[in-house]
């Protein structure tokens, strides 16, 4: 069965929702920035921060870039680190963060940098910045991307839409067709298809996007090969004591939607893969997608049971001493490609944007 987009109105409302979301976040960061500068509000004290990044590469704005929030420039990374160092933040390896947090006599404020998915630009553009400023960092590796056995659906979808004037794709048993001539139509198709992702059969979803890509003349695995570090490149990086590798599953699946057997297999096999590359057991893990719908109690406990000392989510927040109670459910702060402004980083470090973010509840033995 063929299903078209319902109306022109729904296309614009989808696009308007996307624009409104990013504008609202930016507006909030501007307001907090002004309020803290003019001392209308006091920043919340914190013990630490773990930053999330994905791509680090030169600005690609202007082209069709629905994943632009996942990409920051090396210049912005450098300015951010220099600002943090000038304010007394101490760089540490992620693995050491819980130890610093739990020491009651330690009054330092610590920062750790993490990069998810293992993109090749991490080596090309981020590594020189970290090396020059002597900053440790962790790359979370998805085993299936490195071994070229799993495609990256959001990258495949972006490049398929960029190369097409019309695509068809099967979602939940129905064939959907999209005109993708204009940039707006490409964004609408990207948002519509992405919105179908949460809770879906992820293997079928990825396969459907791969199939649509092939029909459009785009090779999903060639994208992975171009964008993601190879095993030998990761081995080379690992030699530097500034670099740590962490696990990030085999297929980048949303763990909360998978069976327990699959969850344990994804975590264990990806940890073995990473440990073999760096020649020592990996202690850290990042939950793919990392939000409340992608990782919760069962996943936090599984990670803990499998012996990881620290695991990170994408739940937003700074670190307090209480986070040592949940070292396998750490919040992070995203360096977002849409908000590359040092004022916004200062606003995030005030802790105010996270005041109303729900904390990860501590599960007791009786609960
Ligand atoms: Zn990821």
């Amino acid at each position: 069965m063929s299903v078209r987009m319902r109306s022109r109105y729904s296309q614009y409302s989808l696009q308007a929702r996307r624009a409104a979301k990013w504008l609202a976040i930016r507006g909030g960061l501007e307001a907090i920035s002004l309020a803290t500068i003019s001392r209308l509000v006091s920043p919340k004290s914190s013990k630490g921060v773990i930053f999330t990044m994905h791509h680090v590469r030169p600005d690609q704005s202007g082209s069709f870039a629905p994943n632009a929030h996942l990409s920051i420039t090396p210049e912005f990374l450098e300015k951010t680190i220099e600002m943090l160092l000038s304010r007394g933040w101490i760089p540490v390896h992620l693995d050491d963060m819980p130890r610093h947090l739990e020491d009651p006599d330690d009054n330092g404020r610590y920062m750790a940098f993490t990069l998810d998915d293992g993109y090749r630009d991490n080596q090309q553009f981020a590594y020189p910045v970290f090396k020059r400023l002597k900053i440790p960092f962790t790359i979370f590796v998805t085993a299936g991307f490195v071994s070229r056995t799993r495609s990256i659906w959001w990258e495949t979808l972006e490049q398929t839409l960029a190369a097409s004037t019309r695509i068809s794709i099967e979602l939940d048993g129905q064939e959907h067709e999209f005109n993708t001539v204009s940039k707006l139509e490409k964004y609408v198709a990207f948002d519509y298809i992405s919105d179908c992702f949460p809770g879906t059969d992820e293997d079928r979803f990825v396969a459907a996007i791969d199939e649509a890509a092939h029909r459009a003349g785009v090779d999903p695995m060639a994208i992975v090969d171009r964008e993601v570090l190879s095993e030998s490149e990761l081995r080379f990086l690992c030699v530097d004591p500034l670099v740590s590798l962490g696990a990030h599953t085999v297929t980048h699946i949303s763990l909360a939607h998978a069976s327990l057997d699959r969850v344990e297999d994804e975590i264990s096999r990806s940890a073995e893969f990473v440990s073999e590359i760096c020649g020592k057991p990996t202690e850290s893990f990042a939950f793919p997608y990392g939000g409340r719908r992608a990782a919760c109690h069962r996943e936090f406990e599984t990670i803990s049971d499998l012996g990881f000392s620290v695991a990170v989510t994408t739940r937003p927040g700074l670190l307090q001493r209480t986070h040592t109670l949940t070292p396998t459910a750490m919040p992070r702060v995203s360096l977002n490609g849409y908000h590359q402004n040092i004022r916004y980083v200062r606003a995030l470090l005030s802790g105010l944007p996270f005041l109303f973010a729900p904390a990860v509840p501590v599960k007791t033995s009786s609960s």
Side-chain angles (χ1 to χ4, degrees), residues 63-85:
S63 55
F64 168 62
N67 295 306
H69 60 294
L70 300 177
S71 188
I72 63 167
T73 66
E75 292 77 21
F76 176 61
L77 173 62
E78 186 162 16
K79 279 185 199 166
T80 299
I81 295 172
E82 285 173 345
M83 180 273 287
L84 287 155
L85 291 172

Side-chain angles (χ1 to χ4, degrees), residues 95 245-247 270-272 274-275 278 280-285 307-309:
D95 297 350
L245 298 187
S270 64
E272 284 165 18
V274 172
S275 300
C278 57
K280 60 181 182 183
T282 184
E283 293 183 21
S284 58
F285 182 86
F308 288 85
S309 62

